[in-house]
């Protein structure tokens, strides 16, 4: 069979000035290394001339392929659609803005094919971005390392390489493109490597992400941490939290009741249980406990009905 060596996926949103320069550069590297390849542009609802440029590039070079969204859907959607379309043995993702260098592709390719990595993430050790971005990024990477237990320095680097099987098994949605190594790890692709890559300042156009990237990023991290662990067994999460609430409220109830009985037997004048503030804490804990149980139960019901009950990836088979 005649599979391609490489699929190069490039999500883009209003990058018309960069596209032909980028394509020329990639083509040069591909020809020099004699790779068979496809470039898949995913036009994420650009409102400039990006699509026109892509049509021209395609008419000159049939290794250039493209998909266009009707409206802007975000980088994650772009990557995901590229992953669906990719057929090369090794899949590369890179940004369209010329910040990532195509010269890195051969090195990444060899790390997948020769060194047996599932995923190799670029590391922009020396970055050419404003401080307002590099400092929060350090924090973001430290938190992600801690929670995902993947030792990468630069999770969100746009330049990455994958074994085809990896991209066929992960789904990038929302803004989860920042955490693809974490998504891959949750699917059992644990051989994750890193390669220091050249980074350049943006040559044309402007960045498409504002400071809200960090807020959204941390929320997504929390989601992933919980989903990776409890996504297939939500009751274990909600049920445990609900039980904790119940146990606490039972203790408080025993204390209130016990105290009242003791005080009565000692002949003291005692106030009503409902006059004690602890009663209301108890009540709240009880209600929250029921709610948590209910949420866990609904989550289990949804899971039972969904076609994603079984989310495992098969690695090898014998005699089957
Ligand atoms: N991008 C996209 N859809 C979006 C936002 C960005 O396809 O909604 C693309 C963008 O065109 C670029 C890549 O994602 O190719 C990275 O974006 P950008 O360079 O703006 O991010 P930064 O380098 O500033 O992190
Ligand atoms: Mg960029």
């Amino acid at each position: 069979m005649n599979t391609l060596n490489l699929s190069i996926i490039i999500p883009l949103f209003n990058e018309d000035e960069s596209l032909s320069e980028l394509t020329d550069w990639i083509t040069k590297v591909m020809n020099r290394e004699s790779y068979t390849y496809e470039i898949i542009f995913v036009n994420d609802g650009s409102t400039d001339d990006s699509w026109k440029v892509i049509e021209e590039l395609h008419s000159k070079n049939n290794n250039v392929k493209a998909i266009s969204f009707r409206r802007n859907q975000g980088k994650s959607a772009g990557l995901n659609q590229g992953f669906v379309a990719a057929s090369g043995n090794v899949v590369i993702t890179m940004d369209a803005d010329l910040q990532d260098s195509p010269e890195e592709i051969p090195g990444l390719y060899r790390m997948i094919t020769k060194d047996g990595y599932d995923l190799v993430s670029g590391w922009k050790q020396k970055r050419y971005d404003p401080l307002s971005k590099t400092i929060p990024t350090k924090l973001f990477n430290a938190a992600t390392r801690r929670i995902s237990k993947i030792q990468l320095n630069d999770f969100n680097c746009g330049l990455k390489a994958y074994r085809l099987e990896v991209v066929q098994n992960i789904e990038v949605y929302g803004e989860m493109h920042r955490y693809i190594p974490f998504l891959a790890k949750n699917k059992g692709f644990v051989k994750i490597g890193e390669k220091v890559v050249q980074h350049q300042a943006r040559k044309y156009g402007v960045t498409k992400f504002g400071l809200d990237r960090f807020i959204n990023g941390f929320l997504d991290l929390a989601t992933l941490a919980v989903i990776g662990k409890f996504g297939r067994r939500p009751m274990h999460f909600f049920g445990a939290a609900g039980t904790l609430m119940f146990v606490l409220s039972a203790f408080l109830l025993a204390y209130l009741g016990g105290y009242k009985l003791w005080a009565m037997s000692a002949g003291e004048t005692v106030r009503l249980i409902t006059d004690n503030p602890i009663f209301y804490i108890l009540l709240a804990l009880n209600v929250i406990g029921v709610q948590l149980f209910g949420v866990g139960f609904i989550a289990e019901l949804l899971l039972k009905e969904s076609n994603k009950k079984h989310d495992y990836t098969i690695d090898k088979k014998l005699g089957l």
Side-chain angles (χ1 to χ4, degrees):
M1 212 175 61
N2 207 350
T3 44
L4 299 171
N5 297 133
L6 281 159
S7 294
I8 300 165
I9 299 171
I10 306 174
L12 65 114
F13 176 51
N14 292 347
E15 310 278 5
D16 56 2
E17 291 165 300
S18 312
L19 297 177
S20 31
E21 201 173 318
L22 180 66
T23 306
D24 288 346
W25 196 359
I26 294 173
T27 313
K28 205 177 75 196
V29 174
M30 294 297 110
N31 292 340
R32 189 174 71 214
E33 305 279 333
S34 322
Y35 289 139
T36 53
Y37 70 101
E38 60 182 354
I39 299 174
I40 303 175
F41 284 114
V42 187
N43 174 30
D44 186 13
S46 296
T47 48
D48 65 357
D49 285 335
S50 292
W51 186 250
K52 225 156 92 203
V53 176
I54 291 170
E55 280 178 331
E56 268 165 41
L57 291 168
H58 169 72
S59 69
K60 282 188 282 186
N61 177 351
N62 61 10
N63 295 316
V64 175
K65 304 169 187 178
I67 305 164
S68 192
F69 290 149
R70 194 167 280 281
R71 49 156 276 211
N72 181 254
Q73 302 283 357
K75 187 178 178 186
S76 290
L79 287 173
N80 199 68
Q81 203 51 47
F83 287 163
V84 171
S87 63
N89 275 327
V90 174
V91 176
I92 303 273
T93 60
M94 62 191 297
D95 291 352
D97 54 5
L98 292 163
Q99 288 197 270
D100 301 327
S101 162
E103 302 294 340
E104 304 288 352
I105 295 174
L108 290 167
Y109 180 77
R110 279 190 286 274
M111 284 179 79
I112 302 284
T113 54
K114 297 265 177 343
D115 306 339
Y117 282 102
D118 293 320
L119 187 166
V120 180
S121 183
W123 174 13
K124 298 161 286 187
Q125 203 170 25
K126 186 150 177 35
R127 292 182 68 129
Y128 295 88
D129 278 319
L131 272 186
S132 63
K133 191 156 140 193
T134 51
I135 291 173
T137 297
K138 281 213 163 70
L139 234 111
F140 158 88
N141 280 314
T144 311
R145 258 197 306 279
R146 219 191 144 91
I147 289 178
S148 69
K149 303 199 175 62
I150 303 171
Q151 294 310 313
L152 288 180
N153 290 289
D154 186 3
F155 279 84
N156 190 21
C157 182
L159 183 57
K160 286 188 172 62
Y162 309 81
R163 228 152 31 84
L164 180 62
E165 196 194 345
V166 178
V167 306
Q168 286 173 338
N169 280 293
I170 56 178
E171 204 175 327
V172 194
Y173 64 96
E175 293 190 11
M176 291 296 181
H177 59 268
R178 300 192 179 94
Y179 300 107
I180 296 180
F182 199 0
L183 293 173
K185 187 187 167 210
N186 280 345
K187 291 283 182 162
F189 298 104
V190 290
K191 200 148 187 258
I192 296 173
E194 188 163 50
K195 182 180 188 302
V196 174
V197 295
Q198 294 292 325
H199 186 242
Q200 295 165 83
R202 215 181 216 287
K203 197 162 169 186
Y204 309 104
V206 290
T207 177
K208 307 301 183 297
F209 295 100
L211 281 177
D212 59 346
R213 72 168 85 201
F214 296 108
I215 298 163
N216 297 339
F218 281 109
L219 291 174
D220 285 343
L221 184 61
T223 305
L224 270 185
V226 176
I227 287 201
K229 203 154 178 217
F230 295 106
R232 303 291 128 198
R233 48 193 185 98
M235 196 51 168
H236 290 181
F237 180 74
F238 293 105
T243 306
L244 184 71
M245 300 288 158
F246 275 130
V247 170
L248 275 174
S249 76
F251 269 122
L252 292 179
L253 184 65
Y255 165 75
L256 279 184
Y259 176 75
K260 173 134 186 172
L261 287 176
W262 171 81
M264 276 163 64
S265 69
E268 289 178 24
T269 48
V270 276
R271 52 183 179 170
L272 289 171
I273 281 185
T274 47
D275 281 345
N276 191 326
I278 292 180
F279 174 76
Y280 296 96
I281 298 176
L282 180 163
L283 207 62
L285 286 172
N286 229 297
V287 172
I288 296 169
V290 172
Q291 284 179 338
L292 284 169
F293 254 97
V295 171
F297 198 59
I298 291 172
E300 290 283 347
L301 283 176
L302 284 174
L303 195 62
K304 188 166 153 292
E305 297 305 322
S306 86
N307 51 5
K308 290 205 166 169
K309 266 175 294 205
H310 304 299
D311 200 17
Y312 41 69
T313 38
I314 292 171
D315 186 21
K316 300 183 185 78
K317 281 185 181 175
L318 279 176
L320 277 175

